[in-house]
Amino acid sequence: MKGESPQLKVENTPVCRNAEIDSFSPLNLVSRMSQPEEKFDRLETGIPGLDSMLDGGFSEGRVVLVLGEPGSGKTILCSQYLYHGAVRKNEKTIFIGMNEQKSRFVQEMSGLGMDFVNLEKSGTFAYIDATEIRRIPEEAKVGRIPVGGRELSLVNLMDMIQEAIEKYSPKRIVVDSISDLVFRYPKLEERRPIILDLVESLQSTKATCLMTSELLSTGEGRMIQPEEYLAEGVVIMRTLPKGIRSIQILKMRGSKVDTHARPYVINDQGLQVYVTEEIY
Amino acid sequence: MKGESPQLKVENTPVCRNAEIDSFSPLNLVSRMSQPEEKFDRLETGIPGLDSMLDGGFSEGRVVLVLGEPGSGKTILCSQYLYHGAVRKNEKTIFIGMNEQKSRFVQEMSGLGMDFVNLEKSGTFAYIDATEIRRIPEEAKVGRIPVGGRELSLVNLMDMIQEAIEKYSPKRIVVDSISDLVFRYPKLEERRPIILDLVESLQSTKATCLMTSELLSTGEGRMIQPEEYLAEGVVIMRTLPKGIRSIQILKMRGSKVDTHARPYVINDQGLQVYVTEEIY
Amino acid sequence: MKGESPQLKVENTPVCRNAEIDSFSPLNLVSRMSQPEEKFDRLETGIPGLDSMLDGGFSEGRVVLVLGEPGSGKTILCSQYLYHGAVRKNEKTIFIGMNEQKSRFVQEMSGLGMDFVNLEKSGTFAYIDATEIRRIPEEAKVGRIPVGGRELSLVNLMDMIQEAIEKYSPKRIVVDSISDLVFRYPKLEERRPIILDLVESLQSTKATCLMTSELLSTGEGRMIQPEEYLAEGVVIMRTLPKGIRSIQILKMRGSKVDTHARPYVINDQGLQVYVTEEIY
Amino acid sequence: MKGESPQLKVENTPVCRNAEIDSFSPLNLVSRMSQPEEKFDRLETGIPGLDSMLDGGFSEGRVVLVLGEPGSGKTILCSQYLYHGAVRKNEKTIFIGMNEQKSRFVQEMSGLGMDFVNLEKSGTFAYIDATEIRRIPEEAKVGRIPVGGRELSLVNLMDMIQEAIEKYSPKRIVVDSISDLVFRYPKLEERRPIILDLVESLQSTKATCLMTSELLSTGEGRMIQPEEYLAEGVVIMRTLPKGIRSIQILKMRGSKVDTHARPYVINDQGLQVYVTEEIY
Amino acid sequence: MKGESPQLKVENTPVCRNAEIDSFSPLNLVSRMSQPEEKFDRLETGIPGLDSMLDGGFSEGRVVLVLGEPGSGKTILCSQYLYHGAVRKNEKTIFIGMNEQKSRFVQEMSGLGMDFVNLEKSGTFAYIDATEIRRIPEEAKVGRIPVGGRELSLVNLMDMIQEAIEKYSPKRIVVDSISDLVFRYPKLEERRPIILDLVESLQSTKATCLMTSELLSTGEGRMIQPEEYLAEGVVIMRTLPKGIRSIQILKMRGSKVDTHARPYVINDQGLQVYVTEEIY
Amino acid sequence: MKGESPQLKVENTPVCRNAEIDSFSPLNLVSRMSQPEEKFDRLETGIPGLDSMLDGGFSEGRVVLVLGEPGSGKTILCSQYLYHGAVRKNEKTIFIGMNEQKSRFVQEMSGLGMDFVNLEKSGTFAYIDATEIRRIPEEAKVGRIPVGGRELSLVNLMDMIQEAIEKYSPKRIVVDSISDLVFRYPKLEERRPIILDLVESLQSTKATCLMTSELLSTGEGRMIQPEEYLAEGVVIMRTLPKGIRSIQILKMRGSKVDTHARPYVINDQGLQVYVTEEIY
C-alpha cells in the first residue's frame, strides 16, 4: 500500500456481478469491488440493473437518500425495494407516506404490478399515513406549552417511526419524502440538525432505510443539498433535457458501487436500469 | 424481477400508439408502456400527438400541472382539453379563469375553432370568472376578524371550486393559472402548503384537473418550482432560443408516458404535437 | 381533432404572407397560420418584415409588451407603429413618454424620417409627457392623506391614459416605458398587481397598445419577467454577443405568429427585419 | 415602408466610412447608415477606428455611458475624446475626476502622448477634482439639517457640473466615474432616480458628455446595469478570457452605429480600434 | 533570476517521483519540483498515486483541507493517511469524528482492510468521538454566563484537540468534518475567524493535520469557500457528471505538487489514484 | 490621430522585450508598447517571464492588486518581487503579513531559495507581523470611546504602514492579504471606501506596492470584485480545471502590458511564466 503509482490494470479490476464492460477507457474508471464483500449484508432491491450498480443491493442498516427530479420515479423505486423484500425475502417492510394517502399509493403501485393490499394482509407490509404531519400549523401547543409547528412535525414523524419499529420490527423502511419537513427550515444552519436527527432516528431502527427528497434545480452545476452529506448513501434520479432518465449512485458508505450515470426506463413493471449503457 | 442486468430489448418495448420509432438508440430510452394499461381510465385531450405522448390521455382523477413560458399556449392546451371532452364525450367541463375575463377567453378560443358559447348553452361547459381573486387586497375582513388578503384569495378560490363541483359535477376542470395566488407567498415554506391545499382541493373533486403555472426562468439549468413536486403530473411547454416550441411530459403519476421533448406548433386549430420528431 | 399523431405535412402549412421558406426542417417548426384569420383585425406596423412575423400586424385591442436590451430600438419600433397608423391609415395615435421629453423624441424620430410635428398639427398624433411621473417622491399627499409616491405614480399614469382616451379616442397607444414605474416595486408579489392594473387600464381603452420594458439580463438562461406573462403579446429585442440584432415574438394572444428569432437592422428609415433569415 | 419582407440587399447597404466589409454574411447584419446623417452634428473622438463605428463621432448633446471592466481603458478613451476636441477643434473641455487626483491623471495621460498641462494653460481644458465627493461621510449636515452623505455627494457633484458649465461653457464633458456615487445606493429603486438626475444634469449642459461606469461581472450572460438604460448611448469595453480587448457600441440614440464587437489595443498613443476585424 | 523569458525546457523539468509524463504539452505545465526538497519532512499517505502528486506526502506540520462532494471518499482518504502512519511508521494518530460514532467508523474502515481496533490497542490510534458537539443547542450556559451554543461548540472542539494532544502527542490528526461547525456561521465575516481559530489550533499541535469539509456546489464555476484560503493545503475530490472520480491538489504551501486533476477509484483497499491519467 | 480606420500593421507593432510572437492573428491583438517608455521607472520583479508581460516590471509608485485562487502562489509572487529588489537592487522592502507569522513565512520562502533572514540582517527587508489585526474583536474601545473592531483593524493596519514607512523608507511594499480586512464589510457600499482608504494610504508611501486578495469564485463568468477597480493594477492568478496555472494582467495604469493569459509553474525557484505560450 506504499506510494507507488498504480497503472490501470484491467485484469485486477473485476467487473460487477451481472455487468459487462465492453472496453476499458478512462470513462470506465468507476470504482468497482475486487472481491465479494462479506462485511455488510446486502438487501436486494429487485430492480433490474440497480442491484448490479449497488454491488448486490443496499448495505444492511444504512440510511440512503433517493434524490430526484419531479416524475423521476423516486416513490416507485422505494416501493419496488419494499415489495421485493416482502415478497421474495418475506421481510417486514414499512412505507411512511408524507406525500399521499394510502389509497392513492396502493392504486398507483397496483398499476405497476405490485399488490400491497395482499402484502399488508400477509403482515409483511404496513403503510403509515403521515400526510397529516405536513398540515401541522406553524404554532401548536403541547399541553400548555407553545411549540413551533415545525418542531412538532419532526417529533411526530420520529414518534411514528419509533412506534412502527416497536410494532413491526421492519427490515426495510421508506420515508417518502422528507422535503415538506425539511423545507420548513429555510436556513441551512437550522436544516442540517433536523436532517441529522431524522437520519439518526432511522439508523437507530437497525432497518435499511430509504428516504426520498426533492432536487432543487436541474442542470449540471447545482447547489449540493445538505441531506446528501448527512445520509449514508445517495441515489440521484434525473430527466435529461432530451427526455432520457438517468440514475447515478453518488455515495454509498461501506459499499463499492458503480458511480456511472446509467439510463433507466419506467414501464409497467416499474424501473429498469440499463447498467451497461452510458449516458453522455 | 430479480436483479438481472437487462439488455436493451427492442422487441419487448412496444411503441406508443400512433408513434413510429425509426431507430433504436440510447436517445430512445424513454419509458413506454409494454401493455395497454387498464387500471386508470384515460381522458383524451384531442390534441394531435399529445394523447400519444400521454399513452391515451390524462389519467382520470389526476391533478396535472401545465407549466410554461409566456406565449407557449398553456391556456390553449387546457381549452382544447375541455372542448374535446365536452364535444366528443359529452362530458361536463369547467374553466376557472384567473387571468382573463370570459369574453376575452371566448373570443380567443373562437379564433382557434372552439365555440365555447354553444357549449355553455348545451350545459357541458361553464366559465368561472375568478379574476377578482387576484384583486383582493392584502388586508381584508371576514365579519369582524381581520384576514390576510392572500389567505382570503385561497379560500375564495377553493370555495369557487367547491361550488362549481356541487353545481356541475364536472369531469374536466381547468384552473388557469395558479401563479397569481402562488406568487403572493414569496417564501418556499409558505408556498408549499398553499399549493398542496389547492391540489388536494382539486383531487377531492374526482375530476381530472389541469392547472397552469408560469415558468420562472428559461435555459436548461433552472430552479425546480414546488408545484412540480406537488402536482401529480407535469407538462412543460417552452420556446427554444431559435423559436421552436417544445413540449415535454416531466411527470405523470400512474402513467407510462413519452418523456421526450417534442416539437409542437400552434395553428388555427390549436396545438399540434409532432411526436415522432426529436428536438435537440 | 382526435389523438392522431400528425406527420409534418409541408403542403398543409402555408407560409406567412411575404415570407419564403427555403427548406423544411425541424427548425421551421414554428407556428404559422393555415388560413387567413378574420376574427381579429390587424394593425399593420409598417415595419418591413415585422408584419409578416405578426401575420399582418398587431391584433386589434391587444396590449403588447416590447421587451428589449439597451439600444435595441424599442422606442423606434413603437414610433414606427404609431407613425404608420397615423400617416397611412389616418388613425389617431398617442405616445405616452416616460423616458424623454417631447422635444428629444421629436428630434430623434425626425432623424429616422418620421415627422411627428406635422402629424401633431394634423391631429393624428399626441405626445403625452409623463416624465414627471418618475420624479414623484416616495412620500406624497393627496389632500391631507399621505400616499406612497409610487402609488401616486401609478394613479397619475392611469389618469393620463384615461384623459388621453377621452380627449383623443386613439386607435394606437404607446407607453414608453413601464420600467421606472415597475422597478419601484422590488418584490414580485407587489409588482404583479401593478403591472396587471396597467395592462387592464390599457385594455379598457380598446386601442391597440404597445408598452416597452427593460430586459434585466443578457444571455439565454434568464429570469422571465412578470410583465411577459401579464401582457397579451411579447416582442423581445436583443443584441447578440457578436453585435447582430435579433427580434423574436415570444407570445401573441389570438394570433398565429412566426416565433423564430430574426435578424434586424436599424437604418435611417428605422427598423428592418429580415424574416427569411435565421439567427443561430 | 409597407410590410414587405425585405431581402438582404448588399448594394443598398453602404459601408461605414473607412470600413471595409469583406463578405456579406448574416454576421454583417449590423445597422449601418444608408446616407450621411445631417441632423446631429458629430464630435469626433479622434480614436482610430472608433469614429467609424460611431458613424463619425458622438452625436452632439448626448450623454454616453462608457462601461468597462477593470483596466479596459475607460479613462483613456475619455481623455482622448477630450484631447482631440481641445487640440484639433479648439473646443473647451472638462474632465470631472472622481477616481484620481489631477497630478496622477496628467502624468498618466502624458505617457500616452497627451499634454493636458499645456491644454489647461491654453484654456481649452479644465480638470475638476471631485475625489473628495467619495469621502463625504454617510451622515452630514447642511446648516442644522442632517443630510444623508450620499445625497450630499450627488448634490455636490451636480453643483460642480453646474459651476463648471457656467465658468467654462465646455463642449465636451467627461465624468470619470459615476460608480462611487451609484454604488452608495444598493437598491435598484433608489439607484435609478440618482442616475437619472445625473444624466439630466449633464443633458442640461448642452455639452456632449461621457460618463464611465464599472461593469459588475464578466461573461456573456450578465445583469444589465440600470445606467445602460438611462444613458443615451452605451459603449462597452471588455477583456475576453484570452486577453483580447473588445469594444462594442450597445446603444447610441439618434445614430446608426456599428454594433459589432471589435478588437482594440492600447499602445503609447492610446486606444486603437480594428473596425474591420471581428472578434468571435 | 532576471526577467528573461523562459522557454519551455523539458529537460530542466524533472518529473515527479514515480510519475511518468508521456508527452510534453501545455497541459503538462503543472508545477513540479526540480530537486528533492529537504526543508520539510514528508508524511506519506500510503495512498497509491497520491504521494506522487504530493511529491512524497503531506509536509510535516501543515493543516490541509480535504474538500469533497458527497460520497467522494473524504473520510476514507483521511483514514488511510492515519492508518499508514500508524502501521508503517508507528506514528501516533488521532481521528476526531464529528460525523459518525466510533463503531460505525471502525466497521466501515474494516471493510476497506483497515483494522483500527488493533491499532487502538497498540496505542497508535485514538478515536475522539466529537459527534456530541453538533448537538449543542443554540443557547447554553457556562456557569451562570449564557453562551451561544455555537461558540461553545468551537471551544469544545478546541478543548478536545488540546486534550488529545497532551494525552497522545499525535503526529497525525484528522478532523472529520468541520462543516457542522462552520455552517453554524452563515455570514462570511463570522465564518472566517472561526475557521482561522480552528486552523491555528491545529497548527499549534505541530502534528500534520487533515480536516474535511463539504463542497457547496457542483460544476466548474463555483464559489470558492473560505476554508480553502485559510488552510495551508487543499485537496478537492469530485464526481464528474459521467461518474468518474477526480482528485486535484489546489494548494499545498511549502510543496511543489502536481496540480492536475487525476482520476481515482475507491475499491476494497481504499482510494487509488491514477497519476499518469488525465481527466478531461 | 484622426479617425482613420487602422489596418492591422504587424510591422508597426513591436514585440515585447524578450517575447516572441510566432504568428500574427487576432489572438495577438493585445496591447504592446511601440517605444520604450521612459515616463515611469520600472521595478523588475525578477520573475522569469512576468517582467516581459509587465514591459519591464511594475511602474514605480503604483498600487497593484494580486488577485488569485487558493494555492495560486500570490504570496510567492510578492516575495519574489521583494527579494529581487532587496538582493539585486539593494532596495529596502517590507512585507506586511496578515495571513501568517514571520517564522512560517521565512521557512516557506527559504524552501523556494529566498533567504529573508539574511536580508533582514542586512537591513533591506522587514517583516511586519499584522496577524493580530484579524483577531481584533468586533467591539473595542479607544480610551473610553467604543469603536467598531473592524474600523480599528483598518486604522491599525494604516498605522503599521505609516510607521513602517517612517522607519524604513521602503521602495517595495507588500500587504498579504487584504481579504480579512475587506470581508468584514459585507456590503459593497461599505467595502469600497475601505479599500479606497487602503489604496490611498499605500499610494502616499511613494513605494511600489502589491496587495493580495482572494478571488471569490472560479469560472469565466464571475462577479468583478471592487478592489479590481480601486487598485491601479490587477494581476489575476488562477488554476484552470485541468490543473494548468494561468496568470493574466487585467489592468496596469500607466503601462502597456501583455493582457494575454499565460501559463506558469511554481518550482523550487518560485514562479516561472511562459510568456510565449497561449493558454486556451
Side-chain angles (χ1 to χ4, degrees), chain F residues 157-158 161-162 196-205:
Chain F
L157 180 60
M158 294 198 184
I161 294 171
Q162 214 46 51
L196 188 60
D197 280 351
L198 185 59
V199 168
E200 295 193 346
S201 170
L202 288 171
Q203 283 176 337
S204 72
T205 66

Side-chain angles (χ1 to χ4, degrees), chain A residues 18 46 49 68 70 100 104 134-135 180 183 186 214-218 241-243 245 263 266 273-275, chain B residues 1 3-6 8 27 29 31 189 192 196-197 200 220 222 224 228-229 232 250-251 253 259-261:
Chain A
N18 306 319
E100 50 184 1
R104 290 228 162 206
R134 55 179 182 171
R135 305 228 156 278
D180 268 293
F183 290 155
E214 301 172 3
L215 202 58
L216 290 176
S217 61
T218 68
K242 281 186 174 215
R245 286 170 156 157
I266 304 177
V273 180
Y274 295 93
V275 294
Chain B
M1 214 166 167
E4 299 160 325
S5 169
L8 283 175
L27 298 187
L29 283 175
S31 28
E189 63 271 24
R192 284 180 67 92
L196 187 60
D197 280 351
E200 296 194 347
E220 294 198 350
R222 62 179 185 90
I224 297 174
E228 299 181 60
Y229 284 109
E232 295 173 297
L250 293 186
K251 173 179 179 178
R253 288 228 162 172
T259 57
H260 258 127

Side-chain angles (χ1 to χ4, degrees), chain D residues 86-87 90-94 115-127 167-171:
Chain D
V87 168
N90 204 31
E91 295 167 353
K92 290 196 173 170
T93 66
I94 288 183
D115 178 359
F116 280 104
V117 176
N118 266 321
L119 280 193
E120 197 177 22
K121 287 180 192 154
S122 75
T124 53
F125 173 76
Y127 189 97
K167 198 163 156 195
Y168 302 103
S169 307
K171 199 164 171 77

Side-chain angles (χ1 to χ4, degrees), chain C residues 129-142:
Chain C
D129 186 329
T131 54
E132 280 313 299
I133 284 175
R134 55 179 182 172
R135 307 228 154 277
I136 290 169
E138 285 303 298
E139 286 295 328
K141 283 193 177 184
V142 174

Side-chain angles (χ1 to χ4, degrees), chain C residues 46 100 104 135 218 243 245, chain D residues 1 31 200 220 232 253 259:
Chain C
E100 52 185 0
R104 290 227 161 207
R135 307 228 154 277
T218 68
R245 286 169 155 157
Chain D
M1 216 165 165
S31 30
E200 297 193 346
E220 295 198 350
E232 294 173 297
R253 288 227 162 174
T259 57

Side-chain angles (χ1 to χ4, degrees), chain A residues 14 35 53 68 80 228 278:
Chain A
Q35 299 289 113
M53 292 178 74
Q80 287 185 271
E228 299 182 60
E278 305 229 345

